[in-house]
């Protein structure tokens, strides 16, 4: 409910009658940063409340660290967008933080899946269980060329 309220407030402020390009850029940058920090705090709280022998403890700490690194990368971009009034530079100091965060979050998500499989719960056939990940992978593969071709073809550094 809190996240839906957060998204609704962002949508009203960014696309409502008060729309302004500069204000929208600032608000969306700050909303992303606040959302990532809330996600990090939540993941860390879950990690800290699990027993030391719980198999889900390690993936939760991976998730928390990944979200924190992503929030740090987003904070670098927020400084550029909010305070320096500069479009997002590439490469930037935040890029290594983003790159390091992705494998941690992805590994945590797959680790959760493996823990679920090993739990003994009746989760259905493996193809049905892994189908959401396969669908995301298919969309990613289909979107790679349209997203990356202009960047590669631009000739920029």
């Amino acid at each position: 409910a809190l996240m839906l309220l957060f998204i609704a407030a962002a949508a009203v402020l960014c696309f409502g009658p008060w729309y302004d390009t500069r204000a929208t850029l600032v608000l969306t940058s700050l909303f992303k940063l606040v959302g990532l920090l809330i996600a990090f705090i939540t993941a860390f709280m879950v990690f800290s409340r699990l027993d030391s022998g719980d198999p889900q403890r390690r993936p939760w700490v991976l998730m928390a660290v990944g979200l924190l690194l992503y929030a740090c990368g987003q904070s670098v971009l927020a400084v550029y967008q909010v305070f320096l009034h500069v479009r997002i530079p590439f490469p930037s100091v935040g890029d290594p933080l983003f790159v390091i965060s992705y494998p941690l979050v992805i590994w945590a998500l797959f680790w959760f899946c493996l823990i679920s499989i090993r739990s003994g719960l009746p989760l259905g056939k493996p193809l049905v269980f892994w189908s959401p990940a396969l669908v995301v992978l298919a969309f990613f593969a289909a979107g790679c060329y349209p997203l990356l071709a202009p960047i590669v073809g631009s000739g920029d550094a």
Side-chain angles (χ1 to χ4, degrees), residues 96-148:
L97 299 168
F98 289 125
V99 171
I100 294 168
S101 73
Y102 290 127
L104 295 176
V105 171
I106 291 169
W107 179 246
L109 293 173
F110 276 102
W111 202 341
F112 286 130
C113 292
L114 293 173
I115 290 169
S116 297
I117 288 172
R118 293 178 185 151
S119 71
L121 294 171
L123 300 171
K125 296 181 180 183
L127 183 61
V128 173
F129 180 79
W130 289 104
S131 61
L134 295 173
V135 168
V136 168
L137 185 62
F139 275 107
F140 173 75
C144 274
Y145 181 77
L147 289 173
L148 296 178

Side-chain angles (χ1 to χ4, degrees), residues 16-29:
W18 307 281
Y19 176 79
D20 176 59
T21 305
R22 180 81 198 122
T24 299
L25 184 65
V26 169
L27 286 173
T28 55
S29 181

Side-chain angles (χ1 to χ4, degrees), residues 45-61 111 115:
M45 286 173 53
V46 171
F47 159 75
S48 65
R49 292 183 183 191
L50 291 172
D51 295 333
S52 61
D54 194 319
Q56 291 190 19
R57 189 171 162 91
R58 286 187 181 155
W60 274 112
V61 77
W111 202 341
I115 290 169

